[in-house]
Amino acid sequence: MSLLSLEQISVAFGHNPLLSKVSFAAEAGERVAIIGRNGAGKSTLLKIISGEQVPDEGVVRIEGGMRVAQLPQELPAANAKTVREVVSEGAGEAHELMTRYFKLLEDFENDHSEELGNIQTELDKIQGWDLEQRVNNMIQRLALPADKLMSELSGGWRRRVILAQALISNPDVLLLDEPTNHLDVPTIEWMEQQLQQFRGLILFITHDRRFLEKLANRIIELDRGNLISFSGNINAFLVFKEKLLEEEERANALFDKRLAEEEVWIRQGIKARRTRNEGRVRALEALRSERSERINRQGKAKMAIETKDKSGKLVAEFSQVSHAFEDKVILKPMDLIVSRGDRIGLIGPNGCGKSTFLKILLGSLEPKSGEVRQGTKLNIAYFDQLREQLDPEQTVAENVGEGKDVIEINGQNKHVIGYLGDFLFPPERARTPVKALSGGERNRVLLAKLFTRPANLLVMDEPTNDLDVETLELLEELLMNYDGTLLLVSHDRTFLDNVVTSVIAFEGEGNVKEYVGGYNDWIRQGGKFPTESTSQTDEAPKSKKETKKTSPEAVAEKAPAAKPKAKLSYKLQREFETMPETIAKLEEEIAALHAVTSAADFYTGDAEKVQQTLANMADKEHELETSMERWLELEDMQNG
């Protein structure tokens, strides 16, 4: 049974249809990726489903009693609320009623018995009395610092909190708009795991191809107002879409040929016009009308980097370079040589020191110790610096042309409007203020501005944010063929694999190492982020759970290596050896309970049975957590 269905939905801005009578239905267990070019209407579609926007035509149907939660694209405010408060707010009515209930209880001077009674009745109806337990379970499940203020957390941790807020209401439908934006790789992989465990319906927008590949089991693409639905992964969809476009081109070619023949016929001489068929004339008018309404697929962007004269063979060299801020070590002494033509990716958690590393390499920051030597004839273009140079009040053309109508590209003069057409900005869009653009369009403006500057050393800090898949692939191809030197900071794993020839990995505590290949090659060579990297960089509280590897896989890995030692008594040694089996059994029981509670009719059944099942699941989860902590304790005793 469908949880959600859209019937003949239409939305238009001016004469441009974003959605043209689109329909689709989705069920529990589906993880639906919404893809399409920048400006195709993806976010508009999510807003219509969430109720934020009313369509011009059509109906949105959500099965009765189904709860919808949304993870917004914007980060939650860094305010003085605690994590526990923000998570609790996701429960909506239950949170408001509980807040009001306790506030009335604290007012000893007045009699609020009638209102308290009414609140109790409402809480009984919505089963809101277990809110505190649900909040505690969610905080424990996502390893959140419950009593920290939001203002004390970084963007990555605030993203975790807002996900907990979305999940606390036990939603049946979860809407995600670019959930990986501005997250580092460890946090993205953590989010993948959390969402794969969600049993309801997920609809999400993302341009992170690895995230899309791991999460989606259905693809819907918005293309020129229409919706294409495909059950399967992204790679299979791309093959299907290629065939679809080939069929469309063939059909359009046949249509245009027929139209041309009819246009020749209607323009024949006097004799032909005397005897012409009026029905055929009407058919020609219909063909003309149909052709005028056809929306042609937008062409691909055309990018080219203007390369300055070649730099010297040596671009930069580190000799025992190290750096630290007060007590925080950013870089332990290391040697490094960057040669002309290298394409190097920098990977690591947010806040680990990648930007500092670049500043040292480029000579804008002196290291605490060691020597940095820059090569000769360097001409640097720095993508991140351009973000600050975009004036939101100026038009796209004014920002890129810097007041000039004609710019020089690879030794040739080109009108700025024509140049921007290569970056998919038609003339009217090129004259639009930057503040009116989408995130993906702004990034295309940055790329257009960057590529007007001749450079033999290209430094790019997160260039892929908000770019659609086609533009990403074009940028990849451009950078792979670039004959200068590239330094790339990115959390896009696929982009790194496709572009770079080596990675510099920030592995925690100032350990920075170079590896041959891309992100996957780094993993294959044993590379990994520090277990506690996210908590360190984001200033979250450290606990034994966070600093130890306590996943089920870790238990399985560690158990065979455990050797009896004299430090444990026979009884404790026996307990230690049986602990992995106990943990595995608890996980199976919890998985079975999750399957029961995820059934579409679970919450419509007997209320007492529902509560018993939920309480049983909470007890099992608590028992699992206790068992894992006990296992760690015994391991420490044995190894101590």
Side-chain angles (χ1 to χ4, degrees):
M1 183 180 70
S2 298
L3 289 183
L4 166 73
S5 63
L6 271 62
E7 300 173 9
Q8 299 291 295
I9 297 294
S10 294
V11 176
F13 293 117
H15 298 294
N16 300 319
L18 272 185
L19 305 172
S20 180
K21 296 187 181 299
V22 302
S23 300
F24 85 98
E27 302 175 356
E30 288 191 299
R31 299 192 294 270
V32 184
I34 304 172
I35 66 173
R37 282 191 163 179
N38 297 131
K42 301 184 295 294
S43 294
T44 299
L45 182 62
L46 277 194
K47 288 177 181 177
I48 288 171
I49 294 170
S50 68
E52 289 180 50
Q53 185 171 331
V54 178
D56 299 337
E57 297 178 36
V59 179
V60 178
R61 300 188 190 281
I62 297 177
E63 190 64 30
M66 297 293 105
R67 291 181 292 272
V68 179
Q70 189 168 11
L71 185 68
Q73 193 171 357
E74 299 79 18
L75 285 173
N79 53 30
K81 291 182 179 179
T82 66
V83 169
R84 186 184 302 279
E85 287 175 307
V86 175
V87 173
S88 180
E89 286 173 358
E93 184 182 4
H95 168 75
E96 293 172 6
L97 288 171
M98 289 295 289
T99 301
R100 179 65 179 160
Y101 182 81
F102 286 115
K103 188 174 182 179
L104 292 174
L105 285 179
E106 292 171 0
D107 185 8
F108 301 110
E109 297 180 0
N110 299 294
D111 180 16
H112 299 291
S113 55
E114 184 177 350
E115 188 175 354
L116 285 168
N118 292 335
I119 292 175
Q120 288 173 349
T121 303
E122 291 300 315
L123 286 168
D124 288 336
K125 285 181 184 178
I126 63 173
Q127 301 174 359
W129 292 106
D130 67 344
L131 176 60
E132 185 176 359
Q133 181 184 4
R134 286 194 285 130
V135 170
N136 287 335
N137 287 342
M138 185 60 65
I139 285 172
Q140 190 177 55
R141 173 183 159 191
L142 302 192
L144 298 175
D147 299 318
K148 281 271 188 179
L149 300 181
M150 294 293 285
S151 58
E152 297 177 284
L153 302 181
S154 75
W157 276 95
R158 280 186 281 145
R159 179 71 72 183
R160 289 187 184 219
V161 174
I162 206 71
L163 177 61
Q165 187 189 69
L167 294 175
I168 195 65
S169 63
N170 293 323
D172 303 285
V173 181
L174 188 58
L175 308 178
L176 311 171
D177 192 351
E178 292 289 358
T180 64
N181 265 8
H182 311 295
L183 297 185
D184 55 25
V185 174
T187 309
I188 292 171
E189 292 179 341
W190 170 87
M191 182 173 283
E192 287 170 352
Q193 295 169 1
Q194 298 299 323
L195 294 176
Q196 283 167 346
Q197 296 171 19
F198 183 71
R199 303 300 179 184
L201 166 64
I202 299 177
L203 290 100
F204 66 100
I205 299 169
T206 186
H207 295 131
D208 186 320
R209 288 162 293 177
R210 187 71 56 87
F211 184 82
L212 191 155
E213 182 183 335
K214 286 191 174 184
L215 197 62
N217 53 27
R218 181 178 173 190
I219 309 291
I220 61 174
E221 182 187 35
L222 293 179
D223 182 13
R224 293 164 287 172
N226 297 315
L227 186 149
I228 302 168
S229 178
F230 180 84
S231 293
N233 62 33
I234 184 63
N235 294 323
F237 170 78
L238 292 175
V239 174
F240 164 76
K241 182 64 187 295
E242 192 65 33
K243 292 178 180 177
L244 207 63
L245 289 175
E246 289 173 4
E247 286 296 324
E248 180 184 331
E249 286 180 10
R250 275 196 290 269
N252 285 343
L254 288 172
F255 179 94
D256 292 343
K257 182 180 178 183
R258 183 184 169 198
L259 176 59
E261 290 171 350
E262 293 301 292
E263 291 288 3
V264 170
W265 170 80
I266 199 68
R267 290 177 173 82
Q268 286 177 347
I270 299 294
K271 181 179 179 180
R273 285 201 294 272
R274 286 196 191 118
T275 59
R276 68 188 177 194
N277 185 315
E278 290 303 320
R280 190 171 177 182
V281 173
R282 287 193 295 271
L284 172 58
E285 290 174 350
L287 287 175
R288 286 171 172 170
S289 176
E290 184 178 345
R291 179 62 184 86
S292 68
E293 291 176 2
R294 182 198 298 172
I295 302 175
N296 288 318
R297 183 169 173 79
Q298 191 179 23
K300 290 187 176 181
K302 302 172 186 175
M303 302 181 190
I305 304 175
E306 184 175 358
T307 309
K308 194 74 171 172
D309 296 337
K310 286 187 176 182
S311 66
K313 187 173 182 181
L314 176 72
V315 173
E317 182 179 9
F318 279 14
S319 298
Q320 288 297 290
V321 171
S322 68
H323 197 70
F325 292 116
E326 297 179 353
D327 295 331
K328 184 177 181 180
V329 178
I330 300 295
L331 176 63
K332 288 182 178 177
M334 76 172 294
D335 296 323
L336 172 73
I337 294 178
V338 179
S339 301
R340 184 179 64 222
D342 285 349
R343 297 197 303 272
I344 301 174
L346 276 66
I347 58 177
N350 288 335
C352 66
K354 297 188 293 294
S355 296
T356 300
F357 181 92
L358 283 177
K359 288 177 182 177
I360 293 173
L361 189 145
L362 297 175
S364 60
L365 179 66
E366 283 288 329
K368 291 294 182 184
S369 65
E371 182 183 353
V372 180
R373 185 160 66 101
Q374 266 90 35
T376 57
K377 300 180 182 178
L378 290 182
N379 204 285
I380 303 168
Y382 197 170
F383 181 78
D384 185 62
Q385 289 175 337
L386 293 176
R387 297 173 198 256
E388 299 175 0
Q389 295 177 19
L390 283 187
D391 186 341
E393 300 300 326
Q394 289 188 339
T395 67
V396 174
E398 288 169 340
N399 271 285
V400 173
E402 297 180 345
K404 295 179 289 187
D405 291 334
V406 177
I407 54 179
E408 185 178 328
I409 304 294
N410 287 323
Q412 296 182 341
N413 288 335
K414 194 166 187 178
H415 197 282
V416 68
I417 298 295
Y419 173 69
L420 286 169
D422 292 342
F423 289 80
L424 302 183
F425 289 104
E428 65 276 9
R429 202 63 176 162
R431 297 185 178 94
T432 301
V434 165
K435 65 181 180 183
L437 302 182
S438 67
E441 288 176 314
R442 290 190 187 197
N443 251 24
R444 286 212 306 273
V445 177
L446 290 170
L447 290 172
K449 191 176 180 73
L450 178 76
F451 295 160
T452 62
R453 303 183 175 189
N456 51 36
L457 173 56
L458 195 56
V459 183
M460 307 189 84
D461 193 347
E462 287 297 337
T464 65
N465 282 344
D466 300 313
L467 292 180
D468 58 50
V469 174
E470 288 187 19
T471 309
L472 272 174
E473 291 175 347
L474 178 65
L475 181 59
E476 282 176 357
E477 184 179 349
L478 186 72
L479 294 177
M480 284 190 286
N481 295 323
Y482 178 55
D483 60 4
T485 307
L486 173 68
L487 299 174
L488 171 68
V489 178
S490 180
H491 299 306
D492 187 323
R493 295 156 289 178
T494 302
F495 193 77
L496 286 165
D497 281 338
N498 292 345
V499 171
V500 304
T501 54
S502 65
V503 295
I504 293 176
F506 292 72
E507 299 180 332
E509 299 180 350
N511 295 306
V512 181
K513 299 178 184 177
E514 186 177 16
Y515 295 81
V516 174
Y519 178 82
N520 275 344
D521 296 306
W522 170 63
I523 295 293
R524 279 194 291 270
Q525 294 173 70
K528 60 182 178 179
F529 294 114
T531 307
E532 67 273 29
S533 62
T534 309
S535 59
Q536 283 181 343
T537 51
D538 293 338
E539 299 179 1
K542 301 181 186 114
S543 68
K544 197 169 190 176
K545 285 188 297 182
E546 293 170 336
T547 55
K548 294 282 185 178
K549 190 179 180 185
T550 59
S551 65
E553 293 81 6
V555 174
E557 289 170 8
K558 288 176 178 282
K563 303 289 183 183
K565 291 187 178 182
K567 292 179 182 177
L568 290 180
S569 67
Y570 174 80
K571 183 178 178 181
L572 291 178
Q573 182 65 45
R574 180 65 183 154
E575 182 186 359
F576 177 62
E577 291 173 348
T578 59
M579 194 62 74
E581 184 180 347
T582 302
I583 290 171
K585 185 179 178 182
L586 284 169
E587 286 176 331
E588 288 177 7
E589 292 173 354
I590 291 169
L593 288 168
H594 271 298
V596 171
T597 59
S598 299
D601 59 350
F602 173 69
Y603 289 97
T604 61
D606 180 68
E608 186 176 347
K609 187 176 179 181
V610 168
Q611 288 298 321
Q612 287 176 351
T613 304
L614 291 173
N616 187 22
M617 186 165 67
D619 290 342
K620 293 291 182 186
E621 288 175 341
H622 177 70
E623 189 178 347
L624 174 64
E625 189 67 32
T626 304
S627 296
M628 294 184 92
E629 288 184 351
R630 176 60 173 164
W631 181 82
L632 285 171
E633 182 183 350
L634 291 170
E635 184 189 46
D636 287 343
M637 291 170 63
Q638 178 179 259
N639 295 332

